[in-house]
Amino acid sequence: MMTPKDFLEFAKKNNAKMIDLKFTDLLGTWQHCSYPVETWDEETFKDGLGFDGSSIRGWQGIHVSDMLAVPDPDTAVIDPFFKEPTVSVIANIVDPITKEDYTRDPRHVARKGAAYLKETGIADTCHIGPEPEFFIFDEVRYEQNQYTGMYRIDSVEGAWNTARFEEPNLGYKPSFKGGYFPVSPTDTYHDLRGEMVKEMWKVGILVEAHHHEVATAGQAEIDMVFADLLKMADQFMWYKYIVKNVAKRNGKTVTFMPKPLFEDNGSGMHTHFSLWKGDKPLFADSGYAGLSDIGLYSIGGILKHAPAILAFAAPTTNSYRRLVPGFEAPVNLVMSKRNRSAGVRIPMYSENPKTKRLEFRCPDPTCNGYLAWTAMLMAAIDGIQNKIDPGEPLDRDIYEMTPEELDKYPKTPGSLAEAVDALEKDHKFLTAGNVFTDDLVEMWIKWKREEELGPLALRPHPYEFHLYYDS
């Protein structure tokens, strides 16, 4: 653990001129402010630094805007993207009057979730291993106003560019749904992904693998080695920051939107999840797919509460362009050993008890990891405490099943509105132990309805002109 004194020595050792303070807003975006090193001392880590909470999405009203950001010295690293040596540190948010941790600070929610898990006596640690996917584009243009609504993306890898004049065009464009694991020259982004991995190493992120993904136009995946929930949520913020900034300095742009391309695979974030007590994994035994009762009950809880979880884990209207049948999307809220259309898959690559885990396949990388993964944890705890049966597995090929056979399995919500409605009806499991608070859940629902669902419903869609203009 790094102390405030260690932090200041670390800054001096690295000849840092500035300190960059970062924190995560309600929706999962980093905010930051930079300070000359000499303006900080050990008391800064106790007193915090003031900022305007009313300017942060989903936080304070204008009449109670003052907030404190209290740096966590243990998160210190050298930021890889500033010209001058800069120490980056992540902050926790505190009310300046009560000195209590702020209920809508996502990092505080994750910290409470980890503490609550220990309090239950079920386990000591929740391990998270996400597989975020993203697209690397060469250009993106979009506009929305009273008389125009459009977007246009382009990629040197786009399947639609096989006939483009490129002086010369050499072909080698991954086809639609043809981008999984090709070598170069079809995979043109190996070195760029490698550069992203190198920057991740610099901030302490362990990477398991990187590769091209299924879709055309530069879809990629970089997998991080599993870590405890809070550490992984911190790392996920670094992950997005690094991927976007490495792309930018190479003249590229990255999006974590789940479905930027029509009729090709979207970007998900399959999340591997396990519980441990000390050095003992709790999910391995002789049940279905080699799972223990705790593992099966965890799946039962996650499947039961999945529609509500997805209000956090698949939190955008675009998320539900991905969660549709036909694109390897996990739309069936069932478990399976190997079926990738199941909401929860149990990987079968190894018989080692330490690798036994569940994989929740519905989340996507637009989510706030602090909230989404803590919601998963709370659902798993509820499943264990109430011995929730996960139901019969779905181990058949869904493309060989009749619609009537598939109808008996519950499905993911069909829209963000449905997921938000599910959260409104089912969130008591989240507020156990005061991990999520009612005011956070209420603000999340309010924001999604008023700032995203409502405005989107008012706007004409370009395809409506195709359908109705000449009616």
Side-chain angles (χ1 to χ4, degrees), residues 237-439:
M237 300 307 299
W238 274 111
Y239 180 105
K240 285 187 170 183
Y241 179 72
I242 288 169
V243 166
K244 290 178 181 179
N245 279 283
V246 169
K248 184 176 183 293
R249 77 184 180 195
N250 284 274
K252 306 288 184 178
T253 179
V254 156
T255 183
F256 288 94
M257 278 181 68
K259 195 75 169 182
L261 291 184
F262 176 52
E263 292 191 329
D264 207 345
N265 283 45
S267 293
M269 188 176 67
H270 308 147
T271 297
H272 297 257
F273 175 100
S274 63
L275 299 178
W276 289 57
K277 199 164 192 175
D279 60 357
K280 179 185 176 184
L282 300 182
F283 276 14
D285 206 337
S286 57
Y288 173 76
L291 285 169
S292 64
D293 286 344
I294 284 179
L296 289 167
Y297 293 145
S298 294
I299 294 173
I302 288 171
L303 291 175
K304 176 183 176 181
H305 298 297
I309 296 171
L310 289 180
F312 292 110
T316 69
T317 58
N318 188 252
S319 300
Y320 299 87
R321 312 289 191 226
R322 166 184 170 256
L323 289 176
V324 295
F327 296 90
E328 299 183 23
V331 297
N332 298 295
L333 292 178
V334 293
M335 68 174 177
S336 176
K337 287 187 288 190
R338 301 172 73 180
N339 192 334
R340 292 172 187 262
S341 71
V344 173
R345 186 176 76 95
I346 302 93
M348 302 298 292
Y349 300 124
S350 170
E351 295 182 0
N352 186 338
K354 292 184 176 181
T355 67
K356 186 56 63 178
R357 62 199 186 274
L358 66 86
E359 178 193 32
F360 189 35
R361 295 176 61 81
C362 303
D364 68 58
T366 58
C367 77
N368 182 334
Y370 296 104
L371 300 181
W373 296 329
T374 306
M376 279 183 64
L377 171 61
M378 297 303 290
I381 291 172
D382 186 59
I384 295 164
Q385 290 177 331
N386 293 290
K387 298 184 177 181
I388 297 175
D389 186 347
E392 291 297 313
L394 175 59
D395 289 330
R396 293 178 57 189
D397 183 344
I398 63 168
Y399 298 109
E400 295 178 354
M401 298 173 67
T402 66
E404 291 75 22
E405 288 175 313
L406 278 172
D407 281 345
K408 72 178 184 179
Y409 295 103
K411 301 292 189 289
T412 54
S415 66
L416 178 61
E418 289 182 25
V420 169
D421 288 347
L423 176 63
E424 188 172 50
K425 295 174 184 175
D426 176 29
H427 60 264
K428 286 186 178 180
F429 73 100
L430 296 172
T431 58
N434 200 39
V435 173
F436 284 74
T437 55
D438 286 333
D439 76 288

Side-chain angles (χ1 to χ4, degrees), residues 45-252:
F45 296 84
K46 178 182 177 182
D47 299 336
L49 298 120
F51 69 95
D52 176 9
S54 68
S55 294
I56 306 300
R57 297 180 300 178
W59 279 11
Q60 295 292 88
I62 192 71
H63 61 298
V64 284
S65 60
D66 289 354
M67 299 295 289
L68 289 174
V70 180
D72 179 350
D74 207 39
T75 64
V77 295
I78 298 299
D79 193 299
F81 297 105
F82 290 117
K83 182 178 179 181
E84 295 292 334
T86 301
V87 179
S88 179
V89 63
I90 298 173
N92 298 312
I93 308 305
V94 171
D95 185 287
I97 306 301
T98 66
K99 304 300 182 183
E100 293 180 352
D101 289 302
Y102 185 45
T103 58
R104 296 183 204 166
D105 173 13
R107 194 167 193 264
H108 179 44
V109 174
R111 290 159 59 211
K112 286 191 291 182
Y116 179 66
L117 175 64
K118 291 181 180 179
E119 288 173 15
T120 65
I122 293 170
D124 298 328
T125 308
C126 171
H127 281 147
I128 299 291
E131 299 177 356
E133 297 168 341
F134 53 92
F135 280 89
I136 304 166
F137 294 142
D138 288 276
E139 184 180 45
V140 59
R141 292 185 286 130
Y142 51 91
E143 184 173 18
Q144 179 68 64
N145 53 39
Q146 288 86 349
Y147 57 91
T148 302
M150 60 79 68
Y151 70 89
R152 186 176 182 85
I153 58 178
D154 207 358
S155 166
V156 69
E157 278 198 0
W160 57 87
N161 278 326
T162 53
R164 185 171 68 173
F165 186 66
E166 294 182 353
E167 300 184 353
N169 190 324
L170 300 178
Y172 300 124
K173 314 291 186 186
S175 62
F176 291 103
K177 294 194 174 190
Y180 191 66
F181 275 30
V183 297
S184 59
T186 302
D187 178 6
T188 66
Y189 287 128
H190 174 88
D191 287 340
L192 184 61
R193 294 193 307 270
E195 187 178 336
M196 294 169 179
V197 170
K198 184 178 178 181
E199 298 298 347
M200 291 181 191
W201 288 341
K202 289 180 181 178
V203 299
I205 296 175
L206 300 179
V207 172
E208 190 172 76
H210 74 81
H211 59 85
H212 205 290
E213 255 299 342
V214 173
T216 189
Q219 191 181 34
E221 178 175 317
I222 300 175
D223 300 335
M224 293 176 279
V225 174
F226 71 88
D228 70 81
L229 191 156
L230 180 62
K231 181 177 180 180
M232 183 55 71
D234 286 343
Q235 288 186 171
F236 185 42
M237 300 307 299
W238 274 111
Y239 180 105
K240 285 187 170 183
Y241 179 72
I242 288 169
V243 166
K244 290 178 181 179
N245 279 283
V246 169
K248 184 176 183 293
R249 77 184 180 195
N250 284 274
K252 306 288 184 178

